Amino acid sequence: MPQANGAAATTGASSGRDGLGAAVTKRNKPRYRAFTQQQLPACKPILAPHMVIPVLIFLGLICIPIGLACIAASNKVVEVVYRYDKKCVPGNMLHNKVAYIQNASIDKTCKIILRVPRDMKRPIFIYYQLDKFYQNHRRYAASRSDAQLQDPKQAAASTEFCKPEAYSSKGSPIVPCGLVAWSLFNDTYSFARRRRRGGNTEALTVIKSGISWRSDRERLFGKQVFPKNFQNGSLVGGGQLDPTKPLSEQEDLMVWMRTAALPRFRKLYGRVEADLGAGDLLAVAVRNSYNSYSFEGRKAVVLSTAGLLGGRNAFLGRAYVVTGVACFALALVLTLLCLVFPMKEEHLHLR
């Protein structure tokens, strides 16, 4: 009898644990919801020809007009491009252009004549264009110090990436340091206009203010940072900077230090607030000082107006047109396939 009582007690204890476990299991069981059971209604479209073909036609009808509008806007932009790197070298120096550009005793000024093809409304933007100049090279793009550009106290402390243009021959820090600033573009342009119907030559003023990003003027380039020991070494890379002006006022430097992604690029030189008529002649005095001959680079001066999409560039419009034509072509191919190879009975039940 004692054993029976013990067995009963054991059985009762086991039953109590099972009941407790069941209660716990039931208490932790989540409520039934369609979301937790992934049973929400869903749309699962089947890409049948009767759905795909209208979509392709619709995309074609949208892309082609947009592309044509972009091309029309680009064609309204008037642009004049003139390459002068060879034209501005004397004939007796064409065999050794590097010696010509490095000889300080030779006058580097040359004059070119440009004809305006169509009416150009103000403002007219002036760019310089360089080819075969790889500003995106890693070592070149990293050779600068943004901390030094902002804070005069960082002149000597933030030059670790600026070598070999970090310190002068006397050991003083160079401001701004690095190869990007050292290679500053220094060709200059001046313009004079002679109208098609005759008359005197009229000088055009090139406005150099407001050509850089406002964020660069207000944040990146400090108002208390002045150039020091810049281009004082034995090897001069490019243009000079005014040591009496802070970097926040030297916009040519700001434009140049916005490094380009491609080896052919344009950078804003200035703008002219005057209208030019079709057939007007522009006399451009170019001071050809920048050494692009060491790397066989090309230089050009560009005059351009601006449209709704910026400068003259038909790539966006052509991309839209090509996309639209491709959509129409795919729709036509699918239509022909459906006519030649009609859908079978089992495929029709999938709709």
Side-chain angles (χ1 to χ4, degrees):
M1 295 299 294
Q3 293 180 355
N5 291 338
T10 303
T11 304
S14 176
S15 301
R17 285 195 298 269
D18 293 343
L20 180 61
V24 171
T25 302
K26 291 181 179 180
R27 185 167 49 237
N28 293 336
K29 182 180 179 180
R31 293 182 181 180
Y32 175 82
R33 290 187 176 90
F35 178 77
T36 58
Q37 300 300 321
Q38 299 184 11
Q39 294 180 353
L40 290 175
C43 179
K44 299 178 182 178
I46 298 175
L47 298 180
H50 73 281
M51 294 180 59
V52 175
I53 293 174
V55 171
L56 290 174
I57 295 176
F58 178 73
L59 290 177
L61 292 174
I62 291 179
C63 290
I64 290 180
I66 293 177
L68 295 177
C70 293
I71 293 175
S74 176
N75 291 337
K76 289 182 180 179
V77 175
V78 185
E79 185 177 276
V80 181
V81 183
Y82 188 87
R83 178 184 171 186
Y84 64 87
D85 55 283
K86 289 185 177 180
K87 299 291 185 180
C88 289
V89 178
N92 60 341
M93 298 292 291
L94 285 174
H95 66 284
N96 195 349
K97 304 182 189 68
V98 177
Y100 156 77
I101 202 70
Q102 291 179 346
N103 191 339
S105 62
I106 300 178
D107 184 18
K108 304 296 192 307
T109 303
C110 70
K111 294 185 178 180
I112 56 179
I113 302 298
L114 303 179
R115 182 180 295 275
V116 180
R118 291 186 290 164
D119 292 343
M120 301 180 71
K121 300 298 181 181
R122 70 181 73 183
I124 300 172
F125 297 97
I126 302 169
Y127 302 87
Y128 55 87
Q129 178 176 298
L130 282 176
D131 287 84
K132 297 184 179 181
F133 194 111
Y134 291 85
Q135 278 197 317
N136 60 346
H137 192 284
R138 183 179 62 85
R139 293 291 298 274
Y140 177 88
S143 183
R144 58 186 293 167
S145 174
D146 290 342
Q148 186 196 62
L149 299 175
Q150 299 173 7
D151 189 358
K153 298 179 182 179
Q154 300 291 330
S158 303
T159 59
E160 56 180 328
F161 298 109
C162 293
K163 296 178 180 180
E165 293 298 320
Y167 295 93
S168 65
S169 58
K170 298 181 180 180
S172 301
I174 298 174
V175 181
C177 69
L179 292 175
V180 181
W182 175 78
S183 59
L184 174 64
F185 187 82
N186 62 337
D187 282 5
T188 59
Y189 314 107
S190 59
F191 299 85
R193 171 179 60 182
R194 189 174 65 187
R195 295 189 180 277
R196 177 184 55 183
R197 299 179 181 178
N200 298 328
T201 302
E202 175 188 0
L204 298 176
T205 302
V206 179
I207 301 173
K208 305 279 288 183
S209 61
I211 61 175
S212 62
W213 290 25
R214 186 173 63 180
S215 59
D216 288 351
R217 296 192 299 268
E218 296 179 355
R219 298 186 184 93
L220 183 57
F221 292 81
K223 298 181 180 179
Q224 302 299 326
V225 182
F226 293 84
K228 296 178 183 178
N229 305 310
F230 188 71
Q231 304 287 24
N232 287 343
S234 59
L235 185 61
V236 177
Q240 299 284 346
L241 295 176
D242 188 349
T244 63
K245 290 184 178 181
L247 296 184
S248 60
E249 296 180 8
Q250 311 218 27
E251 298 196 43
D252 284 333
L253 176 67
M254 302 180 201
V255 173
W256 177 256
M257 294 193 71
R258 282 275 172 184
T259 53
L262 300 176
R264 171 184 287 186
F265 58 85
R266 294 177 181 178
K267 291 184 181 291
L268 188 60
Y269 179 81
R271 68 182 186 276
V272 174
E273 292 291 344
D275 296 333
L276 299 178
D280 288 355
L281 297 178
L282 289 177
V284 186
V286 180
R287 182 165 181 81
N288 184 25
S289 303
Y290 197 70
N291 185 7
S292 63
Y293 307 104
S294 297
F295 54 90
E296 299 182 354
R298 297 186 292 268
K299 297 186 291 186
V301 59
V302 181
L303 283 77
S304 176
T305 58
L308 295 176
L309 301 177
R312 187 182 183 90
N313 191 340
F315 174 79
L316 181 63
R318 292 172 181 172
Y320 270 109
V321 171
V322 169
T323 302
V325 172
C327 289
F328 278 127
L330 287 175
L332 179 61
V333 170
L334 288 178
T335 302
L336 294 177
L337 288 176
C338 290
L339 295 177
V340 176
F341 305 101
M343 297 181 66
K344 298 181 180 179
E345 184 68 25
E346 58 267 22
H347 295 159
L348 297 176
H349 292 298
L350 296 176
R351 297 183 179 181

